[in-house]
Amino acid sequence: MIVVLKQNVAQEQVENLKNWIHSLGIETHVSVGKIHTIIGLVGDTSQVDMDLVGSLDIVESVKRIQEPFKNANSKFHGAPLVVDVGGVKIGGGHFQIIAGPCSVESEEQVCYVAECVKKSGAGLLRGGAFKPRTSPYAFQGLKGEGITLLQEAKIKTGLPIVSEIMNISHLEMFEPVDVIQVGARNMQNFDLLRELGKVRKPILLKRGLANTIDEWLMSAEYIMAGGNENVILCERGIRTFETRTRNTLDLSVIPVLKKLTHLPIIVDPSHALGYAHMVKPMAMAATAAGADGLMIEVHNEPAKALCDGAQSLTPQAFDDVAKAVFQIRPFACKFNENE
Amino acid sequence: MIVVLKQNVAQEQVENLKNWIHSLGIETHVSVGKIHTIIGLVGDTSQVDMDLVGSLDIVESVKRIQEPFKNANSKFHGAPLVVDVGGVKIGGGHFQIIAGPCSVESEEQVCYVAECVKKSGAGLLRGGAFKPRTSPYAFQGLKGEGITLLQEAKIKTGLPIVSEIMNISHLEMFEPVDVIQVGARNMQNFDLLRELGKVRKPILLKRGLANTIDEWLMSAEYIMAGGNENVILCERGIRTFETRTRNTLDLSVIPVLKKLTHLPIIVDPSHALGYAHMVKPMAMAATAAGADGLMIEVHNEPAKALCDGAQSLTPQAFDDVAKAVFQIRPFACKFNENE
Amino acid sequence: MIVVLKQNVAQEQVENLKNWIHSLGIETHVSVGKIHTIIGLVGDTSQVDMDLVGSLDIVESVKRIQEPFKNANSKFHGAPLVVDVGGVKIGGGHFQIIAGPCSVESEEQVCYVAECVKKSGAGLLRGGAFKPRTSPYAFQGLKGEGITLLQEAKIKTGLPIVSEIMNISHLEMFEPVDVIQVGARNMQNFDLLRELGKVRKPILLKRGLANTIDEWLMSAEYIMAGGNENVILCERGIRTFETRTRNTLDLSVIPVLKKLTHLPIIVDPSHALGYAHMVKPMAMAATAAGADGLMIEVHNEPAKALCDGAQSLTPQAFDDVAKAVFQIRPFACKFNENE
Amino acid sequence: MIVVLKQNVAQEQVENLKNWIHSLGIETHVSVGKIHTIIGLVGDTSQVDMDLVGSLDIVESVKRIQEPFKNANSKFHGAPLVVDVGGVKIGGGHFQIIAGPCSVESEEQVCYVAECVKKSGAGLLRGGAFKPRTSPYAFQGLKGEGITLLQEAKIKTGLPIVSEIMNISHLEMFEPVDVIQVGARNMQNFDLLRELGKVRKPILLKRGLANTIDEWLMSAEYIMAGGNENVILCERGIRTFETRTRNTLDLSVIPVLKKLTHLPIIVDPSHALGYAHMVKPMAMAATAAGADGLMIEVHNEPAKALCDGAQSLTPQAFDDVAKAVFQIRPFACKFNENE
């Protein structure tokens, strides 16, 4: 961390600041320039409150050189993380498609979709039991019953299951769930993250709608600091001014994260874009860029079938996407290996 | 709600859609144009899932005409809401400044600041006991002990207290707290909002960093749908590309919300901007625009005093802000009364 | 266009509005609902000022159903546009890489780079002669001399050349240039666009940093309305809150634009991201998503070579990117054909 | 400027970098830490290309300490700039309202509005003759004739006039114009800015929709570097995700700019927000925050009057806004004097 002081700062104040930094167990290295004095902080600065330092009257600006995340930092890990979900592996060269309905609605629905997506090559089944809805009047999911239905689909197909948690008090109900998802709106629900750090299941952590990559990694750090090292990051679009897509899918996170962290990164094009016809090209793009997996919404809901189509893919359309993705994948491995 | 159909849609599909809408207890009014057919939905459409309708294959676009919030909607309320906090009133012509330290650190600190801000005219004391921090390694607040210290300051000064909740399991500890704050990062923590709907204390709901005004009102609706009508909205800046301020304070929410809702709206310039010198002009601006109150960070922390200043105001600087604000306020009442 | 009126509007005002619409040569179709009255506008509404209508006191909201662009609209064109640059084709199944230095610096530099990129498979050479620079003190390009150097590289290699225009008074100097580029900062320099509509050369129109897809197509419309039908769209990133990349590359424009327009769409990952190591994965992603081409910065500048590397690619690194892209491309054709 | 080098950089490369910096006439000050080596640049670094340095392979990051703008920098000016427009002063304690129609439509219209706004206290008349329109099919203004009509209103009322230029070739037509406006879409039309640096009239420079404060000041620098010191900055809203307002008015630019520059800063609430009912509260807010003036749209157009109201204010409504603003202004002077 580098602290640039303002011009004409009293020596006494500089000493006060240095003493305070030393009291945190951090050494200082002062360099006096013609205009500005610079203090370099040497040691473990991940616990220094950068905002507090920056707010001091004598400080012009503060710059972090080391990333504030440690557990999630690739510098401290020899190799990319391989998350093993009952034998199904994600990351470190292993690629998976996670597919299934946005909302679990019935045993028939979820089992039918599970069988279809398995046949097309999906490695995990996802399904929503607890649904975060903007409106209190909208359908909030089948809750515990939804988890039970997912479990039945898992028994029938052998696919491990992924489902979203919204409240740590539901943890017991998630016993059959193999990968626990944290949704975009809860990415900075720090109490939830901290509790998930105590769980011994992989966590799929979606990026918040307006969160930077650094904040996302700090949220992974919350989970990992608690001892749960198995975090999968999932890009699902950020909020911008564009209205032709629901959100803006930020695929450049893939090369950025491959440099910063050893955690696997997957991409959810369905929620990011909001239109079925964009899923295939964006799934292909994410795969080509080197994503470790995809999460794709596949439905078979009578309410939607009623009018012949919807925003998520039918099992047939998903099969087509999977075919394209699996043909692109070898080139991503071949050409992105050193990224 | 207006549903615009695509060109050349089969009559059978239109009938299917109409039947499904009727099954929700909503009437339809069809208007066939040269190019497009338009279906108007008549009835309580707040429970219709606009995204689902928009995703149907035969639908070109959907447009909501009525706002999806009812409890938070000014159309269904005769007058602006006056929130009464033990005799201290906010909204409907009553203006309050809520002031105090970002983090409660000691009895001495919080009591000293409380006495100072009271003398300057603040009507409520705020203080953080549970702190949402981006880093798991940063100070997370004094927690329960912080609440106890706030309570002592309340006993000494008579000021009602405002503090942030991050986890519904802490609710019991919040017994001495008069107004429960929901922070920006929890604005769409729907489970927390739903539980706060059962509480019988005013809720101060901060706007999320990337949330629209409509989403903010829907989050208020979650609380109100549970029976807790006393919600105070608090603007604290949104995330944009600008880096000279921490966030972009969006003061235009004041006239927008005065049209849409009867709930009081207050403004927090301290967190939005991140620099002490901007607090006064922005507090004056918010007051002039017709805000029902302000939330301002005031500190007396030895760690910061060490280097003579900080991002939050000293009690002396706060006194200066309060004087300015109280002189501007009458003009806001005089000129904004019909907004 | 659908105009939704406010509640309780006087009949006389509705008649006034209808008469004004009729005076524009547009028919109206009125549908009176229980709460709202809706006026449908039938005819060529591309010339109706939607903002003006929306601003009328009696109007609740306005919704456009038809796109306001006509020349750039795929509905009025049988097939995707193939832009032919002296035999080098872009669009409608033809894929090209446009490569070269950001700034033309010397004959040696530009010819060397041109020969390298040609060998690697690039179809066009790009080079900056006039440089839009944020600072008036930064190097502004070699100007006319830069164009001359590009022309020499064109003679040596046979590659058609692409260069950016900033001022219509420079048009004569652009005589040797095959494709004229409009930069992001000039995307809404309407006077420049209008003049380029009179030119008989293809225009490469970059998306503005904060412009929506619809505004981008309207800027293409400015050029096309003047009679110049050969417009190539180029995505180069939009401005968001993320700081790990210079801008956020929005690859979802590819499927969006394939639905809306017949114009070719290419992607510039170099400027969007700002770091050389991200160019390959994003170039592969753009290709997989179905882009009609890429624009990639390739340098051979001594100033940068001095310190062994830079933000743009060396010819060797570019060769590696081109290889990857050409292997991905057939799958984009195979799987995206119906998009 | 501070350059932080990556770990384990070869000494030879460091020497190469230092030599290159010295060749620019800038001294270096190297500080070797345990992990990182830091090079401080001492001298006039405003001409160093920060992006180029940051892109070097051996560089971890670059940080500018001095602002890259000089002419626009308050550090090099003794006092706030007072722009004198034929005796009407803006800045340095002088406050003005610039009012008038968005589009000049007829002599009757512009003269009537001019007389009204003068009576209400406006110090300058604005009117659009050349209109930047998103659509090539929309009305583009009366052009030269519009300027003539403004001139007539100026003769009748004595109010100096402000009008927008879109093309430097129109400069001669702007002879009667007292203050030349550069619109948001042309804020980075560097060729236009450079030419306006040669003009001897005040320039009103609007902030671009997605431009940072620093970019805005660099655009002012373009004009000032040419010798035209009289630049007035005008905030008119930035593009964000919020849709209840046309743009997000960023009033915090006022305290930010008061620190950074000596140039006057005015605010245009009409264009930023897009709804007449928001103009008064936001005009009051901008005034309270310490703006040096306002630009407000006032109309008297029959097309709009037809339906009783519009997005811009009637002369009567403007009179009400002006009254409020003039009563708030003394408090802004009293309380913001040291900002």
Side-chain angles (χ1 to χ4, degrees):
Chain A
M1 190 178 283
I2 293 172
V3 179
V4 180
L5 300 184
K6 288 184 183 161
Q7 289 178 257
N8 308 319
V9 166
Q11 190 52 36
E12 197 195 327
Q13 289 183 311
V14 179
E15 289 306 314
N16 281 343
L17 177 58
K18 280 171 60 183
N19 290 338
W20 177 72
I21 294 167
H22 297 159
S23 76
L24 300 172
I26 293 166
E27 286 175 49
T28 54
H29 180 279
V30 178
S31 148
V32 181
K34 275 191 191 159
I35 303 175
H36 290 281
T37 295
I38 294 166
I39 304 180
L41 275 65
V42 183
D44 178 9
T45 59
S46 63
Q47 293 169 58
V48 177
D49 187 336
M50 193 169 153
D51 282 345
L52 188 142
V53 176
S55 74
L56 299 175
D57 250 13
I58 63 170
V59 173
E60 173 87 23
S61 62
V62 187
K63 189 170 174 55
R64 209 180 261 289
I65 294 174
Q66 288 172 284
E67 287 89 6
F69 43 94
K70 289 186 295 187
N71 288 290
N73 198 321
S74 57
K75 284 181 191 157
F76 307 118
H77 295 271
L81 176 69
V82 179
V83 175
D84 189 324
V85 189
V88 177
K89 292 175 182 174
I90 305 175
H94 301 273
F95 179 90
Q96 298 296 341
I97 305 182
I98 305 170
C102 185
S103 277
V104 173
E105 293 183 9
S106 70
E107 187 184 337
E108 193 190 0
Q109 171 230 27
V110 71
C111 289
Y112 174 73
V113 172
E115 276 161 13
C116 291
V117 301
K118 189 186 178 184
K119 218 173 291 170
S120 301
L124 296 99
L125 173 69
R126 55 87 60 146
F130 294 86
K131 302 298 305 167
R133 304 302 304 266
T134 309
S135 165
Y137 310 120
F139 175 58
Q140 313 271 326
L142 288 182
K143 302 181 181 176
E145 196 196 327
I147 302 281
T148 308
L149 298 179
L150 280 169
Q151 191 176 11
E152 286 173 30
K154 175 184 169 177
I155 291 166
K156 280 201 182 147
T157 60
L159 291 179
I161 55 180
V162 184
S163 202
E164 178 174 353
I165 199 165
M166 289 172 62
N167 192 324
I168 201 65
S169 74
H170 300 155
L171 190 58
E172 215 169 313
M173 277 189 264
F174 276 68
E175 202 278 319
V177 173
D178 299 285
V179 177
I180 298 178
Q181 176 180 322
V182 177
R185 289 176 186 78
N186 279 315
M187 195 203 88
Q188 292 196 317
N189 183 339
F190 300 121
D191 273 40
L192 179 63
L193 300 176
R194 198 181 288 112
E195 292 299 320
L196 292 173
K198 301 176 191 160
V199 171
R200 289 299 163 268
K201 285 182 183 186
I203 307 299
L204 191 152
L205 180 66
K206 290 205 161 183
R207 182 185 188 182
L209 273 166
N211 286 110
T212 63
I213 292 171
D214 285 70
E215 288 169 342
W216 192 8
L217 287 171
M218 288 311 294
S219 286
E221 190 79 11
Y222 257 96
I223 298 167
M224 299 173 86
N228 187 352
E229 297 275 331
N230 287 304
V231 177
I232 301 163
L233 301 169
C234 180
E235 161 70 22
R236 45 81 69 229
I238 56 173
R239 188 159 267 186
T240 68
F241 57 82
E242 179 57 61
T243 55
R244 282 274 177 188
T245 49
R246 191 197 284 158
N247 297 120
T248 297
L249 188 65
D250 181 8
L251 290 181
S252 56
V253 301
I254 300 168
V256 172
L257 286 168
K258 292 284 174 196
K259 280 254 177 195
L260 292 176
T261 188
H262 66 303
L263 300 177
I265 163 81
I266 69 170
V267 173
D268 174 350
S270 306
H271 282 83
L273 303 166
Y275 298 92
H277 78 94
M278 299 183 196
V279 171
K280 189 165 61 167
M282 288 300 105
M284 290 166 70
T287 304
D292 296 304
L294 298 168
M295 178 177 260
I296 293 177
E297 192 177 335
V298 180
H299 81 92
N300 185 40
E301 293 126 88
K304 293 189 175 179
L306 177 76
C307 299
D308 258 345
Q311 144 191 353
S312 60
L313 300 176
T314 59
Q316 291 73 19
F318 171 73
D319 189 65
D320 189 36
V321 173
K323 275 201 180 68
V325 160
F326 290 131
Q327 291 198 33
I328 295 277
R329 171 67 184 159
F331 297 96
C333 294
K334 183 175 170 189
F335 289 106
N336 284 318
E337 63 195 325
N338 299 317
E339 297 304 331
Chain B
M1 190 178 284
I2 293 172
V3 179
V4 180
L5 301 184
K6 287 184 183 161
Q7 289 179 255
N8 308 319
V9 166
Q11 190 53 35
E12 197 193 327
Q13 289 184 309
V14 180
E15 289 306 314
N16 282 342
L17 178 58
K18 280 171 59 182
N19 290 337
W20 177 72
I21 294 167
H22 297 159
S23 76
L24 300 171
I26 293 165
E27 288 175 47
T28 54
H29 180 279
V30 179
S31 148
V32 181
K34 274 189 191 161
I35 303 175
H36 290 281
T37 295
I38 294 166
I39 304 180
L41 276 64
V42 183
D44 177 9
T45 60
S46 61
Q47 293 170 57
V48 177
D49 187 336
M50 192 169 154
D51 282 344
L52 188 142
V53 176
S55 74
L56 300 175
D57 250 13
I58 63 170
V59 173
E60 172 88 25
S61 63
V62 187
K63 189 171 176 51
R64 208 178 261 292
I65 294 175
Q66 287 172 285
E67 288 87 6
F69 42 93
K70 289 186 293 187
N71 287 291
N73 198 321
S74 56
K75 284 180 192 159
F76 307 117
H77 295 272
L81 177 68
V82 179
V83 175
D84 190 323
V85 189
V88 177
K89 292 175 182 173
I90 305 175
H94 302 272
F95 180 90
Q96 297 297 340
I97 305 181
I98 305 171
C102 185
S103 277
V104 173
E105 293 182 10
S106 70
E107 187 183 337
E108 194 188 359
Q109 171 229 26
V110 70
C111 288
Y112 175 72
V113 172
E115 275 162 14
C116 291
V117 301
K118 188 185 179 186
K119 220 174 288 172
S120 300
L124 296 99
L125 174 69
R126 56 87 60 148
F130 295 86
K131 301 298 305 166
R133 303 301 304 265
T134 309
S135 167
Y137 310 120
F139 175 58
Q140 312 271 326
L142 289 182
K143 301 180 181 177
E145 196 196 325
I147 303 280
T148 308
L149 297 180
L150 280 170
Q151 190 175 12
E152 285 173 32
K154 175 183 169 178
I155 291 168
K156 280 202 181 146
T157 60
L159 292 179
I161 55 181
V162 184
S163 202
E164 178 173 352
I165 199 165
M166 289 172 62
N167 192 325
I168 199 67
S169 73
H170 299 156
L171 190 58
E172 214 169 313
M173 277 190 264
F174 276 68
E175 201 278 318
V177 173
D178 300 284
V179 177
I180 299 178
Q181 176 179 322
V182 176
R185 289 175 186 78
N186 280 314
M187 196 204 88
Q188 292 195 317
N189 182 340
F190 300 122
D191 273 41
L192 179 62
L193 299 177
R194 198 181 288 111
E195 292 299 320
L196 292 174
K198 301 175 191 161
V199 171
R200 288 299 163 267
K201 285 181 182 185
I203 307 299
L204 190 151
L205 180 65
K206 288 204 162 184
R207 182 185 187 181
L209 273 165
N211 287 111
T212 62
I213 292 171
D214 285 69
E215 289 170 342
W216 191 10
L217 287 171
M218 289 310 293
S219 286
E221 190 80 10
Y222 257 95
I223 299 167
M224 298 173 85
N228 186 352
E229 298 275 331
N230 287 304
V231 177
I232 301 164
L233 301 169
C234 179
E235 160 70 22
R236 48 81 67 228
I238 57 173
R239 189 159 267 185
T240 68
F241 57 83
E242 179 58 59
T243 56
R244 282 274 178 189
T245 48
R246 190 195 285 158
N247 298 120
T248 297
L249 187 66
D250 181 7
L251 290 182
S252 55
V253 300
I254 300 168
V256 172
L257 286 168
K258 293 283 174 197
K259 280 253 178 195
L260 291 175
T261 187
H262 65 303
L263 301 176
I265 164 79
I266 70 169
V267 173
D268 175 349
S270 305
H271 282 81
L273 302 166
Y275 297 93
H277 77 93
M278 299 182 194
V279 172
K280 188 164 62 169
M282 288 300 105
M284 290 166 70
T287 305
D292 296 305
L294 298 167
M295 177 176 261
I296 293 176
E297 194 179 331
V298 179
H299 81 91
N300 185 41
E301 294 125 88
K304 293 189 177 179
L306 178 75
C307 298
D308 258 346
Q311 143 190 351
S312 61
L313 300 176
T314 58
Q316 292 71 20
F318 171 72
D319 189 66
D320 188 37
V321 173
K323 276 202 179 68
V325 161
F326 290 131
Q327 291 197 32
I328 295 276
R329 171 67 183 161
F331 297 95
C333 294
K334 183 175 168 188
F335 289 105
N336 284 318
E337 64 194 323
N338 299 318
E339 297 304 331
Chain C
M1 191 177 282
I2 294 172
V3 179
V4 180
L5 302 183
K6 288 185 183 161
Q7 289 179 256
N8 308 320
V9 167
Q11 190 52 36
E12 196 194 327
Q13 290 184 309
V14 180
E15 290 306 315
N16 282 342
L17 176 59
K18 281 171 59 184
N19 290 339
W20 178 73
I21 295 167
H22 297 159
S23 75
L24 300 171
I26 294 165
E27 287 175 49
T28 54
H29 181 281
V30 179
S31 149
V32 181
K34 275 189 190 159
I35 302 174
H36 290 281
T37 295
I38 294 165
I39 304 181
L41 276 65
V42 182
D44 178 8
T45 59
S46 62
Q47 292 169 58
V48 176
D49 187 335
M50 193 170 153
D51 283 344
L52 188 142
V53 176
S55 73
L56 300 175
D57 250 14
I58 63 169
V59 172
E60 173 87 24
S61 61
V62 187
K63 190 172 175 50
R64 210 179 260 290
I65 295 174
Q66 287 170 286
E67 288 87 6
F69 42 95
K70 289 186 294 188
N71 287 290
N73 198 321
S74 57
K75 284 180 190 157
F76 306 117
H77 295 270
L81 176 68
V82 180
V83 175
D84 190 323
V85 189
V88 177
K89 292 175 181 173
I90 305 175
H94 302 273
F95 179 90
Q96 297 297 341
I97 306 182
I98 305 170
C102 186
S103 277
V104 173
E105 294 182 8
S106 70
E107 186 184 337
E108 193 191 0
Q109 172 228 28
V110 70
C111 289
Y112 175 73
V113 172
E115 276 162 15
C116 291
V117 302
K118 189 186 178 183
K119 218 173 291 171
S120 300
L124 297 99
L125 173 69
R126 56 86 60 146
F130 294 86
K131 302 297 305 167
R133 304 300 306 264
T134 310
S135 166
Y137 310 121
F139 175 58
Q140 312 270 326
L142 289 182
K143 303 181 180 176
E145 194 197 327
I147 302 280
T148 308
L149 298 179
L150 281 168
Q151 191 177 10
E152 286 173 31
K154 175 183 168 178
I155 292 166
K156 280 202 182 147
T157 60
L159 292 179
I161 55 180
V162 183
S163 201
E164 178 173 352
I165 199 165
M166 289 171 63
N167 192 325
I168 200 65
S169 72
H170 300 156
L171 191 58
E172 215 169 312
M173 278 190 264
F174 276 68
E175 201 278 320
V177 172
D178 300 284
V179 177
I180 298 178
Q181 176 180 320
V182 176
R185 288 175 186 78
N186 279 315
M187 196 203 87
Q188 293 196 317
N189 182 341
F190 300 121
D191 272 42
L192 179 62
L193 300 176
R194 198 181 288 110
E195 292 299 320
L196 292 173
K198 301 175 191 161
V199 171
R200 286 301 163 266
K201 286 183 180 184
I203 307 299
L204 190 151
L205 179 66
K206 289 205 161 183
R207 181 186 188 180
L209 273 165
N211 286 111
T212 63
I213 292 171
D214 285 69
E215 288 170 342
W216 192 10
L217 288 171
M218 288 311 292
S219 286
E221 190 79 12
Y222 257 95
I223 299 167
M224 300 173 84
N228 187 351
E229 297 274 332
N230 286 303
V231 177
I232 302 164
L233 301 169
C234 180
E235 162 69 21
R236 46 80 70 230
I238 56 173
R239 189 158 266 184
T240 68
F241 56 82
E242 179 57 59
T243 56
R244 283 273 178 190
T245 49
R246 191 197 284 158
N247 297 121
T248 296
L249 187 66
D250 182 8
L251 291 181
S252 56
V253 300
I254 300 168
V256 172
L257 287 168
K258 293 284 173 197
K259 280 252 176 196
L260 292 176
T261 187
H262 66 302
L263 300 177
I265 163 81
I266 69 169
V267 173
D268 175 348
S270 306
H271 282 82
L273 303 166
Y275 298 93
H277 77 94
M278 299 182 195
V279 171
K280 188 164 64 167
M282 289 300 105
M284 291 166 70
T287 305
D292 296 304
L294 298 168
M295 178 176 261
I296 293 177
E297 192 178 334
V298 179
H299 81 90
N300 183 41
E301 292 127 89
K304 292 188 176 180
L306 177 76
C307 298
D308 257 347
Q311 144 190 350
S312 60
L313 300 176
T314 58
Q316 292 72 19
F318 172 71
D319 189 65
D320 189 37
V321 173
K323 277 202 180 67
V325 160
F326 289 131
Q327 291 198 34
I328 295 277
R329 171 69 183 159
F331 297 96
C333 295
K334 183 175 170 189
F335 289 106
N336 283 318
E337 63 195 323
N338 300 318
E339 296 305 330
Chain D
M1 192 179 281
I2 293 173
V3 179
V4 180
L5 300 184
K6 286 185 184 161
Q7 289 179 257
N8 308 321
V9 168
Q11 189 52 35
E12 197 194 327
Q13 290 184 310
V14 179
E15 290 306 314
N16 282 342
L17 178 57
K18 279 171 61 183
N19 289 339
W20 178 71
I21 294 167
H22 297 158
S23 76
L24 299 172
I26 293 166
E27 288 175 48
T28 54
H29 180 280
V30 178
S31 149
V32 180
K34 275 189 192 161
I35 303 175
H36 290 281
T37 294
I38 294 164
I39 304 180
L41 276 64
V42 182
D44 177 8
T45 59
S46 63
Q47 293 170 57
V48 177
D49 187 336
M50 193 169 152
D51 283 343
L52 188 142
V53 176
S55 73
L56 299 174
D57 250 14
I58 63 170
V59 173
E60 173 88 24
S61 62
V62 187
K63 190 171 175 51
R64 211 180 258 291
I65 294 174
Q66 287 171 285
E67 287 88 6
F69 42 94
K70 288 186 293 187
N71 288 291
N73 198 321
S74 57
K75 284 181 190 158
F76 306 117
H77 294 271
L81 176 68
V82 180
V83 175
D84 189 323
V85 189
V88 177
K89 293 176 181 174
I90 304 176
H94 302 272
F95 179 91
Q96 296 296 341
I97 306 181
I98 305 170
C102 185
S103 278
V104 173
E105 293 181 10
S106 69
E107 187 184 336
E108 192 191 1
Q109 171 229 28
V110 70
C111 288
Y112 175 73
V113 171
E115 276 161 14
C116 289
V117 301
K118 187 185 180 184
K119 217 175 291 171
S120 300
L124 298 98
L125 174 69
R126 56 88 59 147
F130 294 86
K131 301 298 305 167
R133 304 300 305 263
T134 309
S135 167
Y137 310 120
F139 175 59
Q140 313 271 326
L142 289 182
K143 303 181 180 175
E145 194 196 327
I147 302 280
T148 308
L149 298 179
L150 280 169
Q151 191 177 12
E152 287 173 31
K154 175 184 169 179
I155 292 166
K156 280 204 182 145
T157 59
L159 291 180
I161 55 180
V162 183
S163 201
E164 178 173 353
I165 198 165
M166 288 172 63
N167 193 324
I168 200 66
S169 73
H170 300 156
L171 192 58
E172 215 170 310
M173 277 190 265
F174 275 69
E175 201 277 320
V177 173
D178 299 285
V179 177
I180 298 179
Q181 177 179 320
V182 176
R185 288 174 187 80
N186 279 316
M187 195 203 88
Q188 292 196 317
N189 182 340
F190 300 121
D191 274 41
L192 180 62
L193 299 176
R194 198 181 289 110
E195 292 299 320
L196 292 174
K198 301 175 191 160
V199 171
R200 289 297 165 267
K201 285 182 182 184
I203 307 299
L204 190 151
L205 180 66
K206 288 205 162 184
R207 182 186 189 181
L209 273 164
N211 287 111
T212 62
I213 292 171
D214 285 70
E215 288 170 341
W216 191 10
L217 287 171
M218 289 311 293
S219 286
E221 190 79 11
Y222 257 94
I223 299 167
M224 299 174 85
N228 187 351
E229 297 274 333
N230 287 303
V231 177
I232 301 164
L233 302 169
C234 179
E235 161 71 21
R236 47 79 71 228
I238 56 172
R239 188 159 268 185
T240 68
F241 56 82
E242 179 58 59
T243 55
R244 283 274 177 188
T245 48
R246 190 197 283 160
N247 298 120
T248 297
L249 187 66
D250 182 8
L251 291 182
S252 56
V253 301
I254 299 169
V256 172
L257 286 168
K258 292 284 174 196
K259 280 253 177 195
L260 293 176
T261 188
H262 66 302
L263 300 176
I265 164 78
I266 70 168
V267 173
D268 175 349
S270 305
H271 282 82
L273 303 166
Y275 297 93
H277 77 93
M278 299 183 195
V279 171
K280 188 164 63 169
M282 288 300 105
M284 290 167 70
T287 305
D292 295 305
L294 298 168
M295 178 177 261
I296 293 176
E297 192 178 334
V298 179
H299 81 90
N300 184 42
E301 294 126 89
K304 294 188 175 179
L306 177 77
C307 298
D308 256 349
Q311 144 190 350
S312 59
L313 300 175
T314 58
Q316 292 71 21
F318 171 72
D319 189 66
D320 189 36
V321 172
K323 276 203 179 68
V325 161
F326 290 131
Q327 291 198 32
I328 295 276
R329 171 67 184 161
F331 297 97
C333 295
K334 182 175 170 188
F335 289 107
N336 284 318
E337 61 194 326
N338 300 317
E339 295 307 329

